[in-house]
Amino acid sequence: MGLTARVLAVDAGNSKTDVAVLAADGRVLATARGGGFRPHATGVGAALDTVAEAVTAAFTAAGVTTADHTSACLANADFPFEEEQLAAALRARGWSATVTVRNDAFAILRAGTTEPRGVAVVCGAGINCVGMRPDGRTARFPAVGRISGDWGGGWGLAEEALWHAARAEDGRGEPTDLARTLPAHFGLPSMYALIEALHRERIRLSRRHELTPVLFTTAATGDPVARALVDRLAEEVTTMATVALTRLDLLAEETPVLLGGGVLAARHPQLDTGIRDLLASRAPKAVPQVVTASPVLGAALLGLDDVEAPATAQARAREHYEP
């Protein structure tokens, strides 16, 4: 009969999957990393096969065969019905007796707080916002793109930058240095050349995200169009956070607002200052902070919450990731 761990923590994003196996006292017995989790593109089975590789590696390294509980924070788990479907699929894998699935934004939130209380805005490839209180109340958005009212995220910013640059070059729009800096990133002389390369797929679609840092660099030089896009993102982040705080009745209480994901974690000065200034005027009690801890820590802490582990176990798990 094999040994059993207390918690299997999974943080599965679009680009990578991180797994941790924890003992009852919060010790991290083993960790592993796998590929991206994209059930909408590959199907749930294939997506979980990728997670399974990391889980198997972590179980083997920990010397265990199962866990009591799985805490999985998963990208693309945007609706409750998707969380339920993914939880059922995870239970079928037999990794643990019980399973809880949450959207991966909750991992960012829990990683940055000492208790399950606060709001997190995550801006990576896309943008999302979640909030939670210790009593179990949550606030969230569908966060599936423009059809759910979203604006921003690395992918969206790249698209906006391309739109403005194309119109600047052909005369339909306001002049912007983006018309030079975007094609130059790919070694091309003009937006016309970049548009053709993208259209003919000489530049892979997946590489568009490379243009988001170019946008911020261009904004830092003072380009008005680029700066306006950065300001709009600050506005969007602040709006999402304020709405979540309002839904959870937290506007009047000092509450952490965690900022995570590649775009926000980069701490671009204009964006960072813009968010803090807007929050100061609209949600003065909010305490913004950038989360740099690994999101799998959040999944682990949520798992320990689920099994009602003592505070000492929470502290030990956090010490592993934040020595």
Side-chain angles (χ1 to χ4, degrees), residues 101-183:
V101 170
R102 301 173 176 89
N103 182 271
D104 59 340
F106 283 100
I108 296 287
L109 172 55
R110 189 65 181 90
T113 56
T114 56
E115 61 176 343
R117 177 182 174 278
V119 167
V121 182
V122 183
C123 187
I127 190 167
N128 196 3
C129 175
V130 299
M132 62 180 358
R133 297 183 63 122
D135 62 9
R137 290 172 58 192
T138 62
R140 61 190 300 176
F141 299 85
V144 291
R146 292 188 66 85
I147 63 169
S148 60
D150 305 335
W151 188 92
W155 186 265
L157 288 171
E159 291 286 304
E160 290 287 335
L162 285 165
W163 188 87
H164 283 283
R167 293 174 67 87
E169 183 173 270
D170 67 23
R172 287 177 293 171
E174 181 181 348
T176 171
D177 203 36
L178 290 168
R180 178 188 62 80
T181 59
L182 298 187

Coordinates of all heavy atoms in Angstrom, one line a residue, residues 101-183:
V101 N -11.7 22.7 -7.6 CA -11.1 23.4 -8.7 C -11.6 24.8 -8.7 O -12.7 25.1 -8.4 CB -11.6 22.8 -10.1 CG1 -11.3 23.7 -11.2 CG2 -11.0 21.4 -10.2
R102 N -10.6 25.7 -8.9 CA -10.9 27.2 -8.9 C -10.2 27.8 -10.2 O -9.2 27.2 -10.7 CB -10.4 27.9 -7.7 CG -11.0 27.4 -6.4 CD -10.3 28.1 -5.2 NE -10.8 27.7 -3.9 CZ -10.5 26.7 -3.2 NH1 -9.5 25.9 -3.6 NH2 -11.0 26.4 -2.0
N103 N -10.6 28.9 -10.6 CA -9.9 29.6 -11.6 C -8.5 30.0 -11.2 O -8.3 30.2 -10.0 CB -10.7 30.9 -12.0 CG -10.0 31.7 -13.1 OD1 -9.2 32.5 -12.9 ND2 -10.4 31.4 -14.4
D104 N -7.6 30.0 -12.1 CA -6.2 30.2 -11.6 C -5.9 31.6 -11.0 O -4.9 31.8 -10.3 CB -5.2 30.0 -12.8 CG -5.4 30.8 -14.0 OD1 -6.5 31.4 -14.2 OD2 -4.5 30.9 -14.8
A105 N -6.8 32.6 -11.3 CA -6.7 33.9 -10.6 C -6.8 33.8 -9.1 O -6.1 34.6 -8.4 CB -7.7 34.9 -11.2
F106 N -7.5 32.8 -8.6 CA -7.6 32.7 -7.1 C -6.2 32.3 -6.5 O -6.0 32.5 -5.4 CB -8.7 31.6 -6.8 CG -10.1 32.2 -6.9 CD1 -10.8 31.9 -8.0 CD2 -10.6 33.0 -5.9 CE1 -12.1 32.4 -8.1 CE2 -11.9 33.5 -6.0 CZ -12.7 33.2 -7.1
A107 N -5.4 31.6 -7.3 CA -4.1 31.2 -6.8 C -3.2 32.5 -6.6 O -2.5 32.6 -5.6 CB -3.4 30.3 -7.8
I108 N -3.3 33.5 -7.5 CA -2.6 34.7 -7.3 C -3.1 35.4 -6.0 O -2.3 35.9 -5.2 CB -2.8 35.6 -8.5 CG1 -2.2 35.0 -9.8 CG2 -2.2 37.0 -8.3 CD1 -0.7 35.0 -9.8
L109 N -4.4 35.4 -5.9 CA -5.0 36.1 -4.7 C -4.5 35.5 -3.4 O -4.1 36.2 -2.5 CB -6.5 36.0 -4.8 CG -7.3 36.5 -3.6 CD1 -7.0 37.9 -3.2 CD2 -8.8 36.5 -3.9
R110 N -4.6 34.2 -3.3 CA -4.3 33.5 -2.1 C -2.8 33.6 -1.8 O -2.3 33.6 -0.6 CB -4.7 32.0 -2.1 CG -4.6 31.3 -0.7 CD -5.5 32.0 0.3 NE -5.4 31.3 1.6 CZ -4.6 31.7 2.5 NH1 -3.7 32.7 2.3 NH2 -4.5 31.1 3.7
A111 N -2.0 33.5 -2.9 CA -0.5 33.6 -2.7 C -0.1 34.9 -2.0 O 0.9 35.0 -1.3 CB 0.2 33.4 -4.0
G112 N -0.8 36.0 -2.3 CA -0.5 37.3 -1.8 C -1.1 37.7 -0.5 O -0.9 38.8 0.0
T113 N -1.9 36.8 0.2 CA -2.6 37.2 1.4 C -2.4 36.2 2.5 O -2.1 35.0 2.2 CB -4.2 37.3 1.1 OG1 -4.6 36.0 0.6 CG2 -4.5 38.4 0.1
T114 N -2.5 36.7 3.7 CA -2.4 35.8 4.9 C -3.6 35.0 5.2 O -3.6 34.1 6.0 CB -1.9 36.6 6.1 OG1 -2.9 37.6 6.4 CG2 -0.6 37.2 5.9
E115 N -4.7 35.4 4.6 CA -6.0 34.7 4.8 C -6.8 34.8 3.4 O -6.4 35.7 2.6 CB -6.8 35.3 5.9 CG -7.2 36.8 5.7 CD -8.1 37.3 6.8 OE1 -8.7 36.5 7.5 OE2 -8.2 38.6 6.9
P116 N -7.8 34.0 3.2 CA -8.5 34.1 1.9 C -9.4 35.3 1.9 O -10.7 35.2 1.9 CB -9.3 32.7 1.9 CG -9.5 32.4 3.3 CD -8.2 32.8 4.0
R117 N -8.8 36.5 1.8 CA -9.6 37.7 1.8 C -8.9 38.8 1.0 O -7.7 39.1 1.3 CB -9.7 38.2 3.3 CG -10.4 39.5 3.4 CD -10.5 39.9 4.9 NE -11.0 41.3 5.1 CZ -10.3 42.4 4.9 NH1 -9.0 42.3 4.6 NH2 -10.9 43.6 5.1
G118 N -9.6 39.3 0.0 CA -9.0 40.3 -0.8 C -9.4 40.2 -2.2 O -10.4 39.5 -2.6
V119 N -8.8 41.0 -3.1 CA -9.1 41.0 -4.5 C -7.8 40.9 -5.3 O -6.8 41.4 -4.9 CB -9.8 42.4 -4.9 CG1 -9.9 42.6 -6.4 CG2 -11.3 42.4 -4.3
A120 N -7.9 40.2 -6.4 CA -6.7 40.1 -7.3 C -7.1 40.4 -8.7 O -8.1 40.0 -9.2 CB -6.1 38.6 -7.2
V121 N -6.2 41.2 -9.3 CA -6.4 41.4 -10.8 C -5.2 40.8 -11.5 O -4.0 41.1 -11.1 CB -6.4 42.9 -11.1 CG1 -6.6 43.1 -12.6 CG2 -7.6 43.6 -10.3
V122 N -5.4 39.9 -12.4 CA -4.4 39.2 -13.1 C -4.3 39.7 -14.6 O -5.4 39.6 -15.3 CB -4.6 37.7 -13.0 CG1 -3.4 37.0 -13.7 CG2 -4.7 37.3 -11.6
C123 N -3.2 40.1 -15.0 CA -3.1 40.6 -16.4 C -1.8 39.9 -17.0 O -0.7 40.3 -16.7 CB -2.9 42.1 -16.5 SG -2.9 42.7 -18.2
G124 N -2.1 38.8 -17.7 CA -1.0 38.1 -18.4 C -1.4 38.1 -19.9 O -1.4 39.2 -20.5
A125 N -1.7 37.0 -20.5 CA -2.1 36.9 -21.9 C -3.5 37.6 -22.0 O -3.8 38.3 -22.9 CB -2.2 35.5 -22.4
G126 N -4.4 37.3 -20.9 CA -5.7 38.0 -20.8 C -5.7 38.8 -19.6 O -4.7 39.1 -18.9
I127 N -7.0 39.1 -19.2 CA -7.1 39.9 -17.9 C -8.3 39.3 -17.2 O -9.3 38.9 -17.8 CB -7.4 41.4 -18.3 CG1 -7.3 42.2 -17.0 CG2 -8.6 41.6 -19.0 CD1 -7.2 43.7 -17.2
N128 N -8.2 39.3 -15.9 CA -9.2 38.7 -15.0 C -9.1 39.3 -13.6 O -8.1 39.9 -13.3 CB -9.1 37.2 -14.9 CG -10.3 36.5 -14.4 OD1 -11.4 37.1 -14.2 ND2 -10.3 35.2 -14.3
C129 N -10.2 39.2 -12.9 CA -10.3 39.7 -11.5 C -11.2 38.8 -10.7 O -12.2 38.4 -11.2 CB -10.8 41.2 -11.5 SG -11.1 41.9 -9.9
V130 N -10.7 38.5 -9.5 CA -11.5 37.7 -8.6 C -11.3 38.3 -7.2 O -10.4 39.0 -6.9 CB -11.0 36.2 -8.5 CG1 -11.2 35.6 -9.9 CG2 -9.6 36.1 -8.0
G131 N -12.3 38.0 -6.3 CA -12.2 38.4 -4.9 C -12.8 37.3 -4.0 O -13.6 36.5 -4.5
M132 N -12.4 37.3 -2.8 CA -12.9 36.3 -1.9 C -12.9 36.9 -0.4 O -12.1 37.7 -0.1 CB -12.2 35.0 -2.0 CG -10.7 35.1 -1.6 SD -9.8 33.5 -1.7 CE -10.9 32.3 -2.1
R133 N -13.8 36.3 0.4 CA -13.8 36.5 1.8 C -13.7 35.2 2.5 O -14.1 34.2 2.0 CB -15.2 37.2 2.2 CG -15.4 38.6 1.6 CD -16.7 39.2 2.1 NE -16.6 39.4 3.5 CZ -16.8 40.6 4.1 NH1 -17.0 41.7 3.4 NH2 -16.7 40.7 5.4
P134 N -13.3 35.2 3.8 CA -13.2 34.0 4.5 C -14.5 33.2 4.7 O -14.5 32.0 4.9 CB -12.6 34.4 5.9 CG -11.9 35.7 5.6 CD -12.7 36.4 4.5
D135 N -15.6 33.9 4.6 CA -16.9 33.3 4.8 C -17.3 32.5 3.5 O -18.4 31.9 3.5 CB -18.0 34.3 5.2 CG -18.2 35.4 4.1 OD1 -17.7 35.3 3.0 OD2 -19.0 36.3 4.4
G136 N -16.5 32.5 2.5 CA -16.8 31.8 1.2 C -17.4 32.6 0.1 O -17.5 32.1 -1.0
R137 N -17.7 33.9 0.4 CA -18.2 34.7 -0.7 C -17.1 35.0 -1.7 O -16.0 35.3 -1.3 CB -18.8 36.0 -0.1 CG -20.1 35.9 0.7 CD -20.4 37.2 1.4 NE -20.6 38.2 0.4 CZ -20.7 39.5 0.8 NH1 -20.6 39.9 2.0 NH2 -20.9 40.5 -0.2
T138 N -17.5 35.0 -2.9 CA -16.5 35.4 -4.0 C -17.1 36.4 -4.9 O -18.3 36.6 -5.0 CB -16.1 34.1 -4.8 OG1 -17.2 33.6 -5.4 CG2 -15.4 33.1 -3.9
A139 N -16.2 37.1 -5.7 CA -16.6 37.9 -6.8 C -15.7 37.5 -7.9 O -14.5 37.3 -7.8 CB -16.4 39.4 -6.4
R140 N -16.3 37.5 -9.1 CA -15.5 37.1 -10.3 C -16.2 37.6 -11.5 O -17.4 38.0 -11.5 CB -15.4 35.6 -10.3 CG -16.7 34.8 -10.4 CD -16.5 33.3 -10.2 NE -15.6 32.7 -11.2 CZ -15.2 31.5 -11.2 NH1 -15.6 30.7 -10.2 NH2 -14.4 31.0 -12.1
F141 N -15.5 37.5 -12.6 CA -16.0 37.9 -13.9 C -15.9 36.7 -14.9 O -15.0 35.9 -14.7 CB -15.2 39.1 -14.5 CG -15.3 40.3 -13.6 CD1 -14.4 40.5 -12.6 CD2 -16.2 41.3 -13.9 CE1 -14.5 41.6 -11.8 CE2 -16.3 42.4 -13.1 CZ -15.4 42.6 -12.0
P142 N -16.7 36.6 -15.9 CA -16.5 35.5 -16.9 C -15.1 35.5 -17.5 O -14.5 34.4 -17.7 CB -17.6 35.7 -17.9 CG -18.7 36.5 -17.2 CD -17.9 37.4 -16.2
A143 N -14.6 36.7 -17.9 CA -13.3 36.8 -18.4 C -12.9 35.9 -19.6 O -11.9 35.2 -19.6 CB -12.3 36.6 -17.3
V144 N -13.8 35.9 -20.6 CA -13.5 35.1 -21.8 C -13.3 36.0 -23.0 O -13.4 35.5 -24.1 CB -14.7 34.1 -22.1 CG1 -14.7 33.1 -21.0 CG2 -16.0 34.9 -22.2
G145 N -12.9 37.3 -22.8 CA -12.6 38.2 -23.9 C -13.7 39.3 -24.1 O -14.4 39.6 -23.2
R146 N -13.7 39.8 -25.3 CA -14.6 40.9 -25.6 C -16.0 40.6 -25.4 O -16.8 41.5 -25.0 CB -14.3 41.5 -27.0 CG -12.9 42.1 -27.2 CD -12.8 42.8 -28.5 NE -13.7 43.9 -28.7 CZ -13.4 45.1 -28.2 NH1 -12.2 45.4 -27.6 NH2 -14.2 46.1 -28.4
I147 N -16.5 39.4 -25.6 CA -17.9 39.1 -25.4 C -18.3 39.2 -24.0 O -19.5 39.3 -23.7 CB -18.3 37.7 -26.0 CG1 -17.5 36.6 -25.2 CG2 -18.0 37.6 -27.5 CD1 -18.1 35.2 -25.6
S148 N -17.3 39.1 -23.0 CA -17.7 39.3 -21.6 C -17.2 40.7 -21.1 O -17.1 40.9 -19.9 CB -17.1 38.2 -20.8 OG -15.6 38.2 -20.9
G149 N -17.0 41.6 -22.0 CA -16.7 43.0 -21.7 C -15.2 43.2 -21.3 O -14.9 44.3 -20.7
D150 N -14.3 42.3 -21.6 CA -13.0 42.5 -21.2 C -12.2 43.4 -22.2 O -12.5 43.4 -23.4 CB -12.2 41.1 -21.1 CG -12.9 40.1 -20.3 OD1 -13.7 40.6 -19.3 OD2 -12.8 38.9 -20.5
W151 N -11.2 44.1 -21.6 CA -10.3 44.9 -22.4 C -8.9 44.8 -21.7 O -8.8 44.9 -20.5 CB -10.7 46.4 -22.5 CG -9.8 47.1 -23.5 CD1 -10.1 47.3 -24.8 CD2 -8.6 47.7 -23.2 NE1 -9.0 48.0 -25.4 CE2 -8.1 48.3 -24.5 CE3 -7.8 47.9 -22.1 CZ2 -6.9 48.9 -24.6 CZ3 -6.6 48.5 -22.2 CH2 -6.1 49.1 -23.5
G152 N -7.9 44.6 -22.5 CA -6.6 44.5 -21.9 C -6.0 43.1 -22.0 O -6.4 42.2 -22.8
G153 N -5.0 42.8 -21.2 CA -4.3 41.6 -21.3 C -3.2 41.8 -22.3 O -3.3 42.6 -23.2
G154 N -2.1 41.0 -22.2 CA -1.0 41.1 -23.2 C -1.4 41.0 -24.6 O -1.0 41.7 -25.5
W155 N -2.3 40.0 -24.8 CA -2.8 39.7 -26.2 C -3.6 40.9 -26.7 O -3.4 41.4 -27.8 CB -3.6 38.5 -26.2 CG -4.0 38.1 -27.6 CD1 -5.2 38.4 -28.3 CD2 -3.2 37.3 -28.5 NE1 -5.2 37.8 -29.5 CE2 -4.0 37.2 -29.7 CE3 -2.0 36.7 -28.5 CZ2 -3.5 36.4 -30.8 CZ3 -1.5 36.0 -29.6 CH2 -2.3 35.9 -30.7
G156 N -4.5 41.4 -25.9 CA -5.3 42.6 -26.3 C -4.5 43.8 -26.5 O -4.8 44.6 -27.4
L157 N -3.5 44.1 -25.7 CA -2.7 45.2 -25.8 C -1.9 45.2 -27.1 O -1.7 46.2 -27.8 CB -1.7 45.3 -24.7 CG -2.3 45.8 -23.3 CD1 -1.2 45.6 -22.2 CD2 -2.8 47.2 -23.4
A158 N -1.4 44.0 -27.5 CA -0.7 43.8 -28.7 C -1.6 44.1 -29.9 O -1.2 44.8 -30.9 CB -0.1 42.4 -28.9
E159 N -2.8 43.7 -29.9 CA -3.8 43.9 -30.9 C -4.1 45.4 -31.1 O -4.1 46.0 -32.2 CB -5.1 43.1 -30.7 CG -4.9 41.6 -30.8 CD -4.8 41.2 -32.3 OE1 -5.8 41.5 -33.0 OE2 -3.9 40.5 -32.6
E160 N -4.3 46.1 -29.9 CA -4.5 47.5 -30.0 C -3.3 48.3 -30.5 O -3.5 49.2 -31.3 CB -4.8 48.0 -28.5 CG -6.1 47.5 -28.0 CD -7.3 48.3 -28.6 OE1 -7.2 49.4 -29.1 OE2 -8.4 47.7 -28.6
A161 N -2.1 47.9 -30.1 CA -0.9 48.6 -30.6 C -0.8 48.4 -32.1 O -0.5 49.4 -32.9 CB 0.3 48.0 -29.9
L162 N -1.1 47.2 -32.6 CA -1.0 47.0 -34.1 C -2.1 47.8 -34.8 O -1.8 48.4 -35.9 CB -1.3 45.5 -34.4 CG -0.1 44.5 -34.1 CD1 -0.6 43.1 -34.1 CD2 1.0 44.7 -35.1
W163 N -3.3 47.9 -34.3 CA -4.3 48.7 -34.9 C -3.9 50.1 -35.0 O -4.1 50.7 -36.1 CB -5.6 48.6 -34.0 CG -6.8 49.1 -34.6 CD1 -7.7 48.5 -35.5 CD2 -7.4 50.5 -34.4 NE1 -8.8 49.4 -35.8 CE2 -8.6 50.6 -35.1 CE3 -6.9 51.6 -33.7 CZ2 -9.3 51.7 -35.2 CZ3 -7.7 52.7 -33.7 CH2 -8.9 52.8 -34.4
H164 N -3.4 50.7 -34.0 CA -3.0 52.1 -34.0 C -1.8 52.3 -34.9 O -1.8 53.3 -35.7 CB -2.7 52.6 -32.6 CG -3.9 52.9 -31.8 ND1 -4.7 54.0 -31.9 CD2 -4.5 52.2 -30.8 CE1 -5.7 54.0 -31.0 NE2 -5.6 52.9 -30.3
A165 N -0.9 51.4 -34.9 CA 0.3 51.6 -35.8 C -0.1 51.5 -37.2 O 0.5 52.2 -38.1 CB 1.3 50.5 -35.4
A166 N -1.0 50.5 -37.6 CA -1.4 50.4 -39.0 C -2.0 51.7 -39.5 O -1.7 52.1 -40.6 CB -2.3 49.2 -39.1
R167 N -2.9 52.2 -38.7 CA -3.6 53.4 -39.1 C -2.7 54.7 -39.1 O -2.9 55.6 -39.9 CB -4.8 53.7 -38.2 CG -5.9 52.6 -38.3 CD -7.0 52.7 -37.2 NE -7.8 53.9 -37.4 CZ -8.9 54.0 -38.2 NH1 -9.2 52.9 -38.9 NH2 -9.5 55.1 -38.4
A168 N -1.7 54.7 -38.3 CA -0.8 55.8 -38.3 C 0.0 55.8 -39.6 O 0.3 56.8 -40.2 CB 0.2 55.7 -37.1
E169 N 0.4 54.6 -40.0 CA 1.3 54.5 -41.2 C 0.5 54.8 -42.5 O 1.0 55.5 -43.4 CB 1.9 53.1 -41.3 CG 2.8 53.0 -42.5 CD 3.5 51.6 -42.6 OE1 4.6 51.5 -42.0 OE2 3.0 50.7 -43.2
D170 N -0.8 54.4 -42.6 CA -1.5 54.7 -43.8 C -2.3 56.0 -43.8 O -2.9 56.3 -44.8 CB -2.4 53.5 -44.2 CG -3.6 53.3 -43.2 OD1 -4.0 54.2 -42.5 OD2 -4.1 52.1 -43.1
G171 N -2.2 56.7 -42.7 CA -2.8 58.0 -42.7 C -4.2 58.1 -42.1 O -4.8 59.2 -41.9
R172 N -4.8 57.0 -41.7 CA -6.2 57.0 -41.1 C -6.1 57.4 -39.6 O -7.2 57.8 -39.1 CB -6.8 55.6 -41.2 CG -7.2 55.3 -42.6 CD -7.8 53.9 -42.7 NE -6.8 52.9 -42.4 CZ -7.1 51.6 -42.2 NH1 -8.3 51.2 -42.2 NH2 -6.1 50.7 -42.0
G173 N -5.0 57.3 -39.0 CA -4.9 57.6 -37.6 C -3.9 58.6 -37.2 O -3.1 59.1 -38.0
E174 N -3.8 58.8 -35.9 CA -2.9 59.7 -35.3 C -1.5 59.2 -35.4 O -1.2 58.0 -35.2 CB -3.2 59.9 -33.8 CG -2.3 60.9 -33.1 CD -2.7 61.0 -31.6 OE1 -3.8 60.5 -31.2 OE2 -1.9 61.5 -30.8
P175 N -0.5 60.0 -35.7 CA 0.9 59.5 -35.8 C 1.4 58.9 -34.4 O 1.0 59.4 -33.4 CB 1.7 60.8 -36.1 CG 0.7 61.7 -36.7 CD -0.6 61.4 -36.0
T176 N 2.1 57.8 -34.5 CA 2.7 57.2 -33.4 C 4.0 56.4 -33.7 O 4.1 55.9 -34.8 CB 1.7 56.2 -32.7 OG1 2.4 55.4 -31.7 CG2 1.1 55.2 -33.7
D177 N 4.9 56.5 -32.8 CA 6.2 55.8 -33.1 C 6.0 54.2 -33.1 O 6.9 53.5 -33.5 CB 7.2 56.2 -32.0 CG 8.6 56.0 -32.5 OD1 8.9 56.2 -33.7 OD2 9.5 55.6 -31.7
L178 N 4.8 53.8 -32.7 CA 4.5 52.3 -32.7 C 4.6 51.8 -34.2 O 4.9 50.7 -34.4 CB 3.1 52.0 -32.2 CG 2.9 52.2 -30.7 CD1 1.5 52.2 -30.3 CD2 3.7 51.1 -29.9
A179 N 4.4 52.7 -35.1 CA 4.4 52.3 -36.5 C 5.9 51.9 -36.9 O 6.1 51.2 -37.9 CB 3.9 53.5 -37.4
R180 N 6.8 52.4 -36.1 CA 8.2 52.0 -36.4 C 8.7 50.9 -35.4 O 9.3 49.9 -35.9 CB 9.1 53.3 -36.2 CG 10.6 53.0 -36.4 CD 11.5 54.2 -36.0 NE 11.3 54.5 -34.6 CZ 11.9 53.9 -33.6 NH1 12.7 52.9 -33.8 NH2 11.7 54.3 -32.4
T181 N 8.3 51.0 -34.2 CA 8.9 50.1 -33.2 C 8.3 48.7 -33.3 O 9.0 47.7 -33.0 CB 8.7 50.6 -31.7 OG1 7.3 50.8 -31.5 CG2 9.4 52.0 -31.5
L182 N 7.1 48.6 -33.7 CA 6.5 47.2 -33.8 C 7.1 46.4 -34.9 O 7.6 45.3 -34.7 CB 5.0 47.3 -34.0 CG 4.1 48.0 -32.8 CD1 2.6 47.8 -33.1 CD2 4.5 47.4 -31.5
P183 N 7.2 46.9 -36.1 CA 7.8 46.1 -37.2 C 9.3 46.0 -36.9 O 9.9 44.9 -37.2 CB 7.6 46.9 -38.5 CG 7.2 48.3 -38.0 CD 6.5 48.2 -36.7

